[in-house]
Amino acid sequence: MAQLKRFGFGLQALIVLAIHPDEQLSSSEMADQIRCEPTALRKILSQLREADIIEVRQGRAGGYQLARRPDQITLMQIYAALHDEEPIWDRMLDTTGDHLFGQKVNHAFQQLMGDINTQVTRILGTYTLASLIE
């Protein structure tokens, strides 16, 4: 669940940056606008910077801004940058056991999870940051 919150706050922070393209915003300014704890937002912004989605300038006049135009940033790129845990649906495997029935169900669950991951990747790849702003 934490990864979905990071994704949600990360998307909101990027939307704020996208609607202020000529400004460099501080993490505190963004945190105030999206109602997120500034320390948590800085961790999210750090991951987005490592993925070259945003740029940061240090110093008094510094701040954050997008590294590319909003139409060049897919939601899948954002999700991948902030995603460091297994998808929540993968926990279904924890319910299967080593017994014969559990092994059969495990195989079916793995197929289902593969299909879910494929669809999530496909859908998030069709949206851009710009499409959320429109």
Side-chain angles (χ1 to χ4, degrees):
M1 287 295 192
Q3 67 190 1
L4 294 177
K5 286 181 80 171
R6 275 196 313 271
F7 184 53
F9 283 128
L11 283 175
Q12 291 179 71
L14 292 172
I15 290 168
V16 169
L17 292 175
I19 60 178
H20 299 282
D22 298 326
E23 298 177 43
Q24 292 194 9
L25 301 174
S26 72
S27 57
S28 296
E29 291 170 317
M30 285 185 282
D32 283 345
Q33 191 160 353
I34 66 175
R35 304 294 190 261
C36 177
E37 211 287 314
T39 303
L41 183 59
R42 279 190 286 278
K43 290 177 186 176
I44 292 167
L45 294 171
S46 174
Q47 290 176 288
L48 293 170
R49 184 188 50 75
E50 288 174 18
D52 295 321
I53 294 172
I54 60 171
E55 297 173 337
V56 62
R57 291 208 175 102
Q58 304 295 330
R60 175 174 264 182
Y64 296 89
Q65 62 186 156
L66 295 178
R68 301 184 299 257
R69 293 189 336 248
D71 64 336
Q72 296 176 328
I73 302 170
T74 68
L75 299 193
M76 188 60 217
Q77 292 168 327
I78 299 164
Y79 181 77
L82 300 175
H83 179 81
D84 58 1
E85 301 171 13
E86 66 183 19
I88 193 162
W89 45 85
D90 281 3
R91 296 211 172 157
M92 289 172 47
L93 292 177
D94 297 343
T95 67
T96 62
D98 290 338
H99 54 290
L100 183 58
F101 180 77
Q103 291 172 0
K104 288 181 181 179
V105 172
N106 185 291
H107 179 70
F109 282 6
Q110 285 184 29
Q111 285 183 297
L112 174 63
M113 289 179 290
D115 289 345
I116 291 170
N117 286 328
T118 298
Q119 291 300 318
V120 167
T121 299
R122 184 184 64 75
I123 291 168
L124 291 178
T126 63
Y127 288 90
T128 64
L129 186 57
S131 64
L132 294 182
I133 298 167
E134 296 170 355

